[in-house]
Amino acid sequence: MTLTHRADTGAASDKVWTPSPEYLSRSRLLAFCRHIGVAGRPELDLWSRENPDRFWAALVAWLGLPWQHEPTAMRDRPDNPAATRWFVGGSMNVFDVAVTRWVDAGRGGETALLWEDESGRTGRMTFRELHTEATRVATALSQLGVGFGDRVGVQLPMVVEAALVSLALAKIGAIAVPVFSGFGAGAVAERLRHSQATALVVADGVVRRARTALLRSQTREVLEAVPDVTVCVTVPVEGAESRRAGRERLPHEVTWAELLANGTGKEAPTAVCPGDHPLMIAFTSGTTGNPKGVTLGHAGFVVKAGSDAALLFDVGPGDVSCWVTDPGWIMHPITLLGGLAAGSAVAVLDGAPDHPRSTRLWESVQRLGITMLGVSPTLIRSLRNVGATPEEHMASLRVLASSGEPWTEDAYHWLFDSVGARRLPIINYSGGTEVSGGILTNTVAEPIRPSAFAGPIPGMGADLVDKAGASVARGAGELVLRLPSPGMPLGFWGEPGRYEATYWEQWPGTWKHGDWAEIAADGEWYIHGRSDNTLKIAGKRLGSAEVENIVNRQPGVVESAAIGIPDPLKGEALVVFARLDRATEDIGALRSRVSDAIVADLGKPLRPQAVHFVTDLPRTRSGKILRRVVRDVHLGHPVDAATASLGNPDSIDALRNLR
């Protein structure tokens, strides 16, 4: 989940939002601070660094997270953070945290889950109904032989069944392997093989903009490639129904209707899950090598995701949380399981957020009463480009949140001004799959500047360091974590040693997150992109996002990628690739404007060696631009291995046909 960067103009760095007395009075972060006896987030962050075990113990107790067995110690191996195991001797099951305890607390009749598809069909479940239905799915899966510790691939769009399966697998102690609904057969098979999955829950198809992409033939290919998968549960989708009659069954197929019909026997018990029992294997995009099977545990994940939901997104009982994402990406379980753990209801939106009308997302917010909405900057740029401004005030919405990539200034201000009517905070949230949530954030209890982070999330021990690993009080450096935290991985599935080598090896005892960040003079934090995308030109080191922010401000530019290439004089020379939203007759004039704007903001040494315009840029299936691939194509390096992870492989040809 990367990330956002600093605006480069003085005016844009002014505070755009200050908490009102109403926000301050209901802030769950401030309520926890009062419980601990500190003033606010900065003081809580300091206290958590000095008392990490007490901090996490207090947070678990304050959130009321139920233990199956109380831990005998919060963690072991304080001398070796990479090997730390949390909640020693304790047991906790996500199903109890997210659902059972709310039924037991008398909230069974309150809404827990809401959903809507792009055709306008909606539904909802109470906590009691959610408990019943998820238990039914868990019981049926158990009867099919899925048990404690088994890995189960889940390739579903944002439908209610995705939530039920997530909770059902947690209940029986099976390990979910979320897979992006848009992945092709090769990527799905690779993840199932790597995780040694024995079951797959998959949709018959994916509906988007009223078009149904059928997945059955692809699923057949996957099952042939991964013979260890001996259970295949297929979930129907609207739009594929008319094509279901007479079709050939898949190997080992059990339809969703058949599954539910078999879930009426003796209820599957809730599995006792030790503190280090895996909840899921969440594969990263693998932009710099094979995908990493990040293994996240029941207790660690729900403690981190639940505390982020409560303290940062400010949700609790009476709220409705929603993040526009895919169940294959980490923000889905963070929102679903974290939101439920914090006591919020959760809404899931299937289909395109701008279909059948460009304003569909805002209409859904109104219909479902969503109070916290998470988006990506890419989605906001897209909605802005089609003029999808809300037609009316969204009365329910209290909090906007963002993650995934850098903001552009125009998109940020459109969201704040036109969507939020300058009354809603935008919670910038940056972290990653590997920590089960965030590292840097804004909060509803502090003033907000565009694209900035108020500071570190308490409990994470965030710091900036120079190349020697020494702390940087102000200025730019590598983002690191000085503390282990419960949401960190149990390891990388099937790859002993890779986890430690990836994050803990460069500076022993310190987690290198891989982001290039800055602490400004006013104490605000900014992220300038991945540190492996850092440019060093004429002795000046800067993040690619700093250049791209300037380029993206130019009229007609939708997005860009800045790379460094070898240069005998400067060491590296800057090359820019930009995608336009419309045809431009005078490419030369636009190229000069882009180049001059970079010089005006960053100085003459940063004048680009070249500015290219392309019809597309290579990106992961979650939408992140792959600058390393851009660079390799431009320099003529082999890119065959990288194309498997691309959501748009044709972009390689676009780079080779420069304008």
Side-chain angles (χ1 to χ4, degrees), residues 275-571:
D276 60 353
H277 181 65
L279 170 70
M280 74 180 83
I281 302 170
F283 282 92
T284 63
S285 58
T287 59
T288 57
N290 293 328
K292 304 184 291 286
V294 178
T295 308
L296 305 173
H298 270 250
F301 182 85
V302 79
V303 167
K304 173 58 176 167
S307 61
D308 280 7
L311 302 186
L312 311 181
F313 305 136
D314 199 41
V315 299
D319 284 306
V320 179
S321 305
C322 179
W323 207 287
V324 183
T325 186
D326 184 275
W329 307 131
I330 196 64
M331 284 313 304
H332 173 73
I334 287 175
T335 306
L336 174 70
L337 303 178
L340 291 172
S344 168
V346 175
V348 293
L349 302 179
D350 188 30
D354 58 353
H355 183 86
R357 291 167 301 282
S358 64
T359 54
R360 182 227 164 172
L361 177 57
W362 319 128
E363 295 165 5
S364 299
V365 168
Q366 291 281 62
R367 280 192 292 269
L368 301 182
I370 292 169
T371 62
M372 191 288 292
L373 178 67
V375 296
S376 70
T378 289
L379 172 61
I380 296 305
R381 286 196 294 270
S382 173
L383 294 176
R384 176 182 177 272
N385 287 344
V386 297
T389 305
E391 295 178 0
E392 58 182 304
H393 173 71
M394 293 179 289
S396 65
L397 201 55
R398 289 195 306 107
V399 176
L400 290 163
S402 71
S403 187
E405 61 190 308
W407 276 109
T408 54
E409 292 178 32
D410 54 355
Y412 183 97
H413 284 288
W414 182 78
L415 179 64
F416 183 72
D417 297 337
S418 300
V419 176
R422 302 189 62 82
R423 70 180 183 90
L424 300 177
I426 300 175
I427 306 301
N428 272 351
Y429 181 68
S430 172
T433 299
E434 299 90 335
V435 293
S436 302
I439 295 172
L440 302 176
T441 193
N442 301 117
T443 74
V444 301
E446 299 168 274
I448 292 176
R449 290 180 170 86
S451 302
F453 300 92
I457 295 173
M460 301 304 292
D463 195 9
L464 289 189
V465 300
D466 60 21
K467 62 183 180 181
S471 293
V472 176
R474 289 290 185 270
E478 285 273 0
L479 177 63
V480 300
L481 302 177
R482 297 294 195 184
L483 296 173
S485 59
M488 286 178 173
L490 303 172
F492 291 165
W493 188 267
E495 297 184 277
R498 187 180 177 190
Y499 163 61
E500 293 82 356
T502 300
Y503 293 106
W504 299 95
E505 192 171 77
Q506 182 163 349
W507 300 296
T510 297
W511 168 292
K512 179 184 176 181
H513 193 62
D515 287 327
W516 185 245
E518 175 188 359
I519 305 175
D522 57 10
E524 302 278 353
W525 290 57
Y526 301 88
I527 291 187
H528 297 305
R530 299 296 295 174
S531 55
D532 56 7
N533 292 326
T534 299
L535 309 169
K536 189 172 183 181
I537 298 169
K540 183 175 182 180
R541 193 176 186 190
L542 73 163
S544 58
E546 291 183 83
V547 176
E548 292 159 11
N549 187 42
I550 299 166
V551 177
N552 296 343
R553 290 202 301 263
Q554 306 312 307
V557 175
V558 177
E559 60 187 357
S560 59
I563 65 168
I565 65 170
D567 181 86
L569 181 62
K570 297 181 178 180

Side-chain angles (χ1 to χ4, degrees), residues 6 34 44 49 54 74 81 204 270 318 349 355 357 441 580 597 602-603 642:
R6 178 163 57 106
R34 289 191 295 271
L44 183 62
R49 293 169 190 264
R54 290 175 61 194
M74 288 305 293
D204 275 344
T270 300
L349 302 179
H355 183 86
R357 291 167 301 282
T441 193
L580 307 180
L602 298 177

